[in-house]
Amino acid sequence: MSEKPKQRFKALSYGVRALVAVVLLGGGVALSRVIASTKPPSPEATSVDSRPLVKVLEVRPVEMPRVWSGYGTARSRRVAEVAAEVAALVLERPDDTEAGRPVAAGQVLFRLDDRDLRARVLRVEGQIAAVEAQLAEQRVTARRLDDQVALAEDEVETARRDYERAVEIGAVNAATESEIDNRRAALNRAERTLVSLLDQAESMPARDARLGADLDALRADLETARRDVERCRVGAPFDGRLQEVFVEAGERVALGEPLARVVDLSRVEVPVRLPASAGASVSVGDRVVLTSDAGESRVWEGRIARIAPETDAATRSMTVFAEVTQDAGTSKGSGPGSALGGLLLPGRFVSARVEVSDGRRRLAVPRRVVDGDRVLLVRGGQDEAGEPASEIDTVRVDVLFHADREMPGLLDGERDWAIVSGGLEPGDLVVVSGRTGLVDGRLVRLEQDGVDEGGPVRGTVNGGGVALEGDTP
């Protein structure tokens, strides 16, 4: 075959191949369209609701006491430093006289040497007996003087009559002058004797008074001496615990020297510093919750026992005194009463929350939903198609105080609350979860019992107060 027919045949072959390729390609495209038309639409092809899902809380007034926060350092209401009431030698210090041990009122802490004091008691008792004997003798002497005075008065009366008769007789010259003089001398002697006896009788009451005073003084000395003997037995002044012990057996102590310190842990007082503005609302009897984070968190409850009458102008604060009554376990021994666990101990620094029970109802929201002074609300609105929808609205609130407590019927398990005023009304819906990225006007979906509810707010809240009822699309 010549060269030219070969080229025509080759060109024809290429054309046939190209035609076949085009036919096959067109059939494949047609087939893929048929398959695509019969295939179910993919999930990605469906429309996606981009509105974020949020959970809300309906704001309702609750009875919430006004809370004031402060701080203070605990101290015991009763602290006694047991001192020596006599100068003596410490004979005995019982084994349980140790710092930290519980003590009962009257429990012996020390025994002092009382031998010299007992000897003093005996000596004073002897002096009292001697004075009482003098008083008894004085009374006998007084009775004798009374008898002698009576006799002297009779003698004076007799001598006076004799003298008067002698004078009458002498008037008629019947008696001599010497006779009259003798009668006069006898009268004078009788009168002098009477005067002497009367002087002695009159001095008897004064002597009795002196002896009586001496006896009273000796009896007082005896009472003091006996008390000093008793003071050698040093006891605890009240139920409490030994905070410190200062002396050992064998030491000599002086009058007034400290021996030990006893503290009563059953009544602990905390002077709490509060803002001066709290003075208009706090009162005696208000509840106080004390907390301490020293090592481990502890909580104690007390009541305001008294309020300082002045405020501190420099710090603009006032002081209330919270009193905590607790089982201090003062029973002697090693049982449960001897443990200090859980007690509010003197010297511990605590934070205080004073709850003023004024009976007012206030609005509460979880503290975590307050951003500065703003919260997010869900209100009724419209979407782009003009259909009802739920949208975000930011409002400003005033935080009055914070509360650490459960609110039954509001939000189960929530304890940290902010008590607010202004900007909120009862029935408002506050966003409590899903808050990230929300701005004013943003359309949202509401969660109801874990189900996505896309409709607008209808204002109805279930019993838990955390999920809204809405319209399903």
Side-chain angles (χ1 to χ4, degrees):
M1 184 179 292
S2 62
E3 187 66 29
K4 189 175 287 188
K6 287 182 178 180
Q7 290 178 351
R8 286 198 298 269
F9 179 79
K10 191 174 184 179
L12 181 61
S13 178
Y14 285 152
V16 172
R17 291 177 183 177
L19 180 61
V20 172
V22 170
V23 171
L24 291 176
L25 179 60
V29 171
L31 180 61
S32 63
R33 287 181 177 179
V34 172
I35 294 174
S37 65
T38 59
K39 183 179 180 180
S42 62
E44 290 77 4
T46 61
S47 61
V48 177
D49 192 344
S50 61
R51 293 177 297 171
L53 187 65
V54 298
K55 186 179 291 187
V56 296
L57 168 69
E58 180 186 22
V59 179
R60 294 198 297 266
V62 294
E63 186 171 340
M64 173 62 64
R66 178 71 167 94
V67 177
W68 296 95
S69 298
Y71 58 89
T73 301
R75 67 189 186 190
S76 176
R77 288 280 288 137
R78 287 199 301 174
V79 179
E81 195 164 77
V82 182
E85 297 183 82
V86 295
L89 184 72
V90 179
L91 285 182
E92 181 185 357
R93 171 182 161 176
D95 293 339
D96 53 1
T97 303
E98 296 288 349
R101 288 292 187 90
V103 293
Q107 178 181 329
V108 176
L109 304 179
F110 302 94
R111 286 189 174 87
L112 308 182
D113 188 356
D114 62 356
R115 287 173 294 182
D116 292 342
L117 297 173
R118 290 186 181 277
R120 180 186 169 195
V121 169
L122 295 176
R123 183 171 60 255
V124 175
E125 286 177 344
Q127 293 172 344
I128 290 175
V131 174
E132 288 176 341
Q134 292 180 34
L135 277 173
E137 183 179 353
Q138 186 80 1
R139 294 188 185 97
V140 173
T141 302
R143 288 194 297 269
R144 289 176 180 175
L145 278 175
D146 290 341
D147 294 341
Q148 290 175 358
V149 167
L151 290 174
E153 288 175 344
D154 291 342
E155 289 179 358
V156 168
E157 186 63 28
T158 300
R160 180 176 289 110
R161 286 196 300 268
D162 290 344
Y163 170 71
E164 290 174 352
R165 281 196 301 269
V167 170
E168 291 176 359
I169 293 173
V172 293
N173 297 323
T176 63
E177 189 69 26
S178 60
E179 181 83 17
I180 294 173
D181 292 340
N182 290 336
R183 298 301 182 189
R184 183 184 298 113
L187 175 60
N188 291 338
R189 287 194 298 274
E191 288 179 342
R192 286 195 297 271
T193 300
L194 178 59
V195 170
S196 176
L197 291 173
L198 287 174
D199 288 343
Q200 295 181 46
E202 289 176 357
S203 66
M204 293 302 292
R207 295 173 65 184
D208 286 347
R210 285 195 298 272
L211 289 174
D214 292 343
L215 184 60
D216 290 341
L218 288 171
R219 286 173 176 168
D221 287 345
L222 178 61
E223 183 67 22
T224 300
R226 286 173 174 169
R227 280 201 305 268
D228 286 344
V229 171
E230 295 175 358
R231 287 165 179 161
C232 289
R233 180 181 176 274
V234 181
F238 48 75
D239 292 349
R241 285 184 182 269
L242 283 169
Q243 185 176 2
E244 291 185 82
V245 180
F246 304 117
V247 298
E248 299 286 346
E251 296 183 24
R252 178 168 290 278
V253 295
L255 176 64
E257 182 175 343
L259 305 179
R261 182 179 293 115
V262 179
V263 59
D264 180 9
L265 300 181
S266 63
R267 293 175 62 200
V268 176
E269 181 181 77
V270 182
V272 178
R273 305 282 289 186
L274 298 177
S277 55
S281 58
V282 298
S283 59
V284 172
D286 285 341
R287 181 173 178 260
V288 183
V289 178
L290 305 168
T291 58
S292 173
D293 294 326
E296 54 181 325
S297 179
R298 294 284 186 181
V299 179
W300 302 272
E301 182 176 329
R303 298 283 174 179
I304 293 181
R306 50 199 175 94
I307 301 173
E310 295 181 349
T311 60
D312 189 332
T315 61
R316 297 182 180 179
S317 63
M318 62 175 295
T319 302
V320 299
F321 297 87
E323 185 172 305
V324 176
T325 302
Q326 54 192 358
D327 183 4
T330 57
S331 59
K332 188 176 179 181
S334 58
S338 63
L340 292 175
L343 294 182
L344 177 57
L345 300 179
R348 174 167 281 185
F349 183 82
V350 294
S351 299
R353 291 189 299 108
V354 180
E355 299 181 357
V356 180
S357 301
D358 55 6
R360 294 179 57 185
R361 298 178 69 83
R362 298 179 171 90
L363 300 179
V365 298
R367 185 173 181 176
R368 56 187 169 82
V369 308
V370 182
D371 185 6
D373 61 353
R374 301 180 185 277
V375 297
L376 300 180
L377 300 185
V378 173
R379 300 191 188 277
Q382 292 182 344
D383 59 15
E384 295 179 354
E387 296 296 327
S390 301
E391 66 179 22
I392 295 298
D393 183 22
T394 303
V395 298
R396 182 182 177 278
V397 295
D398 295 323
V399 179
L400 301 177
F401 55 90
H402 297 105
D404 179 13
R405 58 179 293 182
E406 291 188 358
M407 300 282 190
L410 284 185
L411 197 57
D412 294 339
E414 188 76 33
R415 290 192 59 90
D416 197 2
W417 296 86
I419 310 305
V420 300
S421 67
L424 291 182
E425 296 292 337
D428 283 344
L429 305 175
V430 176
V431 179
V432 296
S433 66
R435 302 171 60 249
T436 304
L438 298 183
V439 295
D440 283 358
R442 181 74 181 270
L443 298 180
V444 295
R445 294 173 295 141
L446 305 182
E447 177 184 345
Q448 175 178 334
D449 295 334
V451 178
D452 180 358
E453 296 290 348
V457 176
R458 289 174 54 184
T460 304
V461 180
N462 66 5
V466 298
L468 266 286
E469 177 183 324
D471 294 330
T472 58

